[in-house]
Amino acid sequence: MTRIDETTVVIIGAGPVGLFLANELGYRGVDYILVEQGEGKVWFPAGENFFSRTMEHLRRWGIADELRYGDGFPQDMPRNMGFCTSLGGKPLALFTGTSNSDAPKADPYSPEGGFFYPKKAFDPALRAAAERRGGDLRYQTKLDSFTQSDGHVDCTVTGPDGQCYVVRGKWLAACDGGRSAVRKALDIRFVGTFGEGYNFATYFRCRGLADRIDAMFGHRMAQVHTLKDERRAYLTSVDGAGEWRLSVYAKEVEQLDPAEVVRSVIGEDLDFEVIQAQPWSGHRVVAERYREGRAFILGDAAHLRWPKGGFGANTGFGDAVDFGWKVAAVSEGWAPEALLDTYEAERRPIAIRNTNEAANNRVLDQMVEPDPILDEESEAGDAARSAMRERLFALRLREFVTPGIQLGHRYRASPIVVEDGSLEGPDDHMVYIPTTRPGSRAPHFEFADGRSILDDYGHGYTLVVTEDSTGADAFAQAGNALGIPVRVVHYRDKDLRSLYECAFVLVRPDGHVCWRGDLLPDRPEDIWTTVSGRRLAPSAKSTIKTKELS
């Protein structure tokens, strides 16, 4: 008899997005089984730039400080980014950043601020947090095939002992990366442009390199870009000490000699050790759809982009949170299965927006061209360096200053958001304007005791009341009568009233505003049936034959 292990969600893949989803589901009390064919080791560290919004989710789970002050990266090291002609040449521009420990104080729009941490430390921290919550994470377990029915998904897997069995879940969440076997089995295509450019990256260890770079710029540096030649080599500190990642542009997918590449960039006199190397390509693609029956795709399985701005993993984390609170609502019985249809409606436009912005950053980077005069000790050289500095700030600063991307994403025209007809502000990736316009992230507000209003959000809906009024409890009770979890918080602070713009602001479990107004509606049930998805058409049933994975 075939063994069958049952759960609510089967997560495929224990990369950062899969682990993020595991934590989100654990936070919401949704049981899951995570299946990962590897052992959990991070072979090539990349994607160390985590957004303030990502950190707000970690704060909600109670682990933000654990990572912020962890030992994966020096907490007092600022995230300074620089440009130079070469490591032995002339510095051209410095974009100053904050350290992990200073980020919460430096960001006026978030209680957390951004975070810089290597994937080789970030992923294990997420894994440990999920396991502490009792998560069922199964490493060295391979997904062989899956079959959908109207009520569940059966995943046939092979465990580390070579035994085959079935993991049965109500839902399948594919977080298995850009080459997602699940997406391919579902016949979901990527739409966009593949191979817009090629690169070669090397992960190496060099103890003296940090001192040389820091001396060149007069600051501790987290990343340095060079203009020596068309390869445009750039170096990123992996651990704030002796480990580095080096990327160069290439003309095609090619396996270069990593030692030769490193030596050509850092010079002849420093000893180094190559740890890992690989070619990679930059794409601009988003999946044509995010769901097929009971199977959903998240993260790189749903979108691939240039790593210009750190939009990749952070966009995937947003996918995990959106899917997570909705599957919890359905599992708890206060929302219909049709609510899960809004996952694609809300997250796919964000992926398109962020993927295009990353591609724009790459185009702007291509407009910065090497020039031998930049190394000259002459008036002409001085003038050229001054002009290049202005050009770099005009073209490249936008990659490193992204509050609009991080906090300003909005769920436009979402079927579970009640529009109020207000004028929508500009969607500028470099500028964040706090607003409670429906679909937006509810703004951070710091109280006198240092607490953030964001700490009121997470479990169920929160009705923020900023004026003396009656009727709030009756509005909440109308939601409770439908089984919807609602709490009411009253604040009498004129600054909060100004920031939140309305007397009543309804915030979803994911921290986004879904309704607001200065007057409560005469028929509160109309609001509740909309925001909970009860007005949506029933989800289409899908029965799919067994999908064998290659």
Side-chain angles (χ1 to χ4, degrees):
M1 187 174 191
T2 303
R3 166 186 161 191
I4 299 177
D5 293 352
E6 296 193 35
T7 190
T8 299
V9 179
V10 183
I11 304 173
I12 305 300
V17 174
L19 291 168
F20 212 87
L21 177 58
N23 278 278
E24 181 68 16
L25 294 177
Y27 168 81
R28 300 198 179 280
V30 178
D31 61 296
Y32 63 87
I33 294 174
L34 184 151
V35 174
E36 165 57 45
Q37 64 180 357
E39 60 185 24
K41 181 177 176 59
V42 177
W43 296 98
F44 197 96
E48 58 283 312
N49 183 30
F50 299 106
F51 288 171
S52 53
R53 185 57 177 154
T54 293
M55 290 302 292
E56 289 172 1
H57 295 310
L58 268 61
R59 176 190 181 96
R60 178 164 50 82
W61 302 337
I63 65 171
D65 283 353
E66 175 186 332
L67 275 82
R68 184 176 298 286
Y69 302 109
D71 58 7
F73 195 82
Q75 60 182 268
D76 62 344
M77 180 173 171
R79 290 169 283 162
N80 293 326
M81 314 290 181
F83 285 79
C84 61
T85 55
S86 65
L87 295 193
K90 303 287 187 181
L92 297 170
L94 173 67
F95 301 153
T96 58
T98 56
S99 66
N100 287 343
S101 60
D102 287 339
K105 299 188 292 289
D107 193 331
Y109 304 121
S110 173
E112 290 296 332
F115 178 66
F116 201 89
Y117 217 61
K119 188 175 186 290
K120 68 172 189 172
F122 186 77
D123 285 16
L126 289 185
R127 175 180 179 175
E131 291 174 339
R132 286 197 300 269
R133 286 188 180 272
D136 190 343
L137 283 67
R138 304 185 183 183
Y139 286 81
Q140 295 180 285
T141 300
K142 182 178 181 294
L143 174 66
D144 299 316
S145 64
F146 62 94
T147 303
Q148 296 200 52
S149 73
D150 286 345
H152 58 261
V153 183
D154 279 352
C155 299
T156 300
V157 303
T158 301
D161 59 359
Q163 296 299 308
C164 291
Y165 62 97
V166 171
V167 178
R168 173 174 292 171
K170 293 181 180 178
W171 314 101
L172 173 65
C175 306
D176 51 342
R179 298 179 179 178
S180 171
V182 174
R183 186 194 69 247
K184 293 174 183 177
L186 295 171
D187 196 26
I188 297 176
R189 298 181 303 114
F190 273 136
V191 178
T193 307
F194 286 98
E196 289 192 330
Y198 306 100
N199 305 261
F200 186 82
T202 305
Y203 172 36
F204 69 100
R205 186 177 292 110
C206 181
R207 287 297 175 186
L209 185 56
D211 291 339
R212 175 167 297 178
I213 293 174
D214 295 351
M216 181 180 190
F217 285 89
H219 295 271
R220 296 180 74 183
M221 301 299 293
Q223 189 175 89
V224 175
H225 299 248
T226 72
L227 274 70
K228 179 181 179 181
D229 52 39
E230 69 278 359
R231 296 197 303 177
R232 299 289 309 284
Y234 69 92
L235 291 147
T236 301
S237 177
V238 171
D239 62 352
E243 293 185 7
W244 296 85
R245 188 178 68 253
L246 166 64
S247 271
V248 297
Y249 285 132
K251 295 181 179 179
E252 58 186 9
V253 177
E254 55 183 332
Q255 184 66 46
L256 304 176
D257 182 339
E260 181 179 314
V261 172
V262 173
R263 179 63 67 205
S264 69
V265 174
I266 71 170
E268 298 293 333
D269 59 329
L270 291 175
D271 293 329
F272 65 91
E273 173 193 359
V274 172
I275 303 171
Q276 190 81 10
Q278 62 186 34
W280 60 274
S281 304
H283 311 294
R284 176 163 39 174
V285 295
V286 176
E288 61 183 349
R289 62 187 191 279
Y290 278 26
R291 177 182 186 178
E292 180 64 41
R294 291 185 168 271
F296 298 77
I297 57 175
L298 297 82
D300 282 0
H303 39 78
L304 294 171
R305 79 238 41 86
W306 279 90
K308 292 292 186 184
F311 304 154
N314 291 285
T315 304
F317 298 153
D319 297 344
V321 171
D322 193 84
F323 175 76
W325 82 263
K326 291 170 181 174
V327 82
V330 173
S331 299
E332 291 166 7
W334 57 262
E337 290 187 4
L339 180 67
L340 289 168
D341 289 336
T342 68
Y343 163 63
E344 176 184 322
E346 293 192 338
R347 292 305 303 172
R348 189 170 184 271
I350 302 301
I352 293 171
R353 166 188 184 253
N354 293 359
T355 298
N356 282 333
E357 182 55 36
N360 290 341
N361 285 338
R362 184 253 177 179
V363 170
L364 294 173
D365 185 54
Q366 295 292 302
M367 295 170 65
V368 179
E369 298 180 353
D371 189 336
I373 197 174
L374 293 169
D375 274 312
E376 285 189 9
E377 288 285 359
S378 64
E379 289 186 8
D382 291 340
R385 286 188 290 274
S386 178
M388 178 57 75
R389 180 180 183 278
E390 296 294 327
R391 187 168 180 79
L392 288 168
F393 270 86
L395 296 176
R396 301 294 285 111
L397 181 62
R398 63 188 291 127
E399 179 180 333
F400 310 114
V401 180
T402 58
I405 289 284
Q406 299 191 36
L407 300 174
H409 57 284
R410 312 158 186 170
Y411 295 139
R412 295 182 176 91
S414 169
I416 56 171
V417 168
V418 181
E419 297 285 352
D420 65 353
S422 59
L423 182 66
E424 184 175 10
D427 186 6
D428 187 325
H429 86 283
M430 292 184 71
V431 178
Y432 168 65
I433 301 174
T435 181
T436 56
R437 189 178 190 278
S440 302
R441 159 193 171 269
H444 158 62
F445 180 83
E446 184 176 321
F447 296 106
D449 61 1
R451 188 174 64 89
S452 171
I453 196 172
L454 300 191
D455 297 333
D456 285 333
Y457 312 143
H459 290 293
Y461 290 79
T462 303
L463 180 66
V464 180
V465 183
T466 62
E467 289 184 357
D468 290 326
S469 60
T470 59
D473 289 340
F475 179 81
Q477 288 167 7
N480 293 149
L482 296 172
I484 301 170
V486 190
R487 64 190 294 259
V488 181
V489 293
H490 296 264
Y491 289 113
R492 300 296 177 267
D493 187 299
K494 60 182 176 59
D495 292 332
L496 175 61
R497 174 63 179 85
S498 177
L499 176 67
Y500 268 54
E501 302 171 304
C502 291
F504 304 98
V505 177
L506 185 61
V507 182
R508 307 188 320 190
D510 63 343
H512 281 256
V513 176
C514 56
W515 172 84
R516 68 175 181 175
D518 285 326
L519 296 173
L520 289 167
D522 294 332
R523 291 177 49 83
E525 60 271 19
D526 290 345
I527 301 298
W528 290 116
T529 54
T530 295
V531 302
S532 65
R534 295 174 185 233
R535 290 180 179 271
L536 300 172
S539 296
K541 299 296 183 181
S542 177
T543 301
I544 300 177
K545 295 180 180 179
T546 300
K547 297 292 185 179
E548 299 290 345
L549 278 68
S550 58

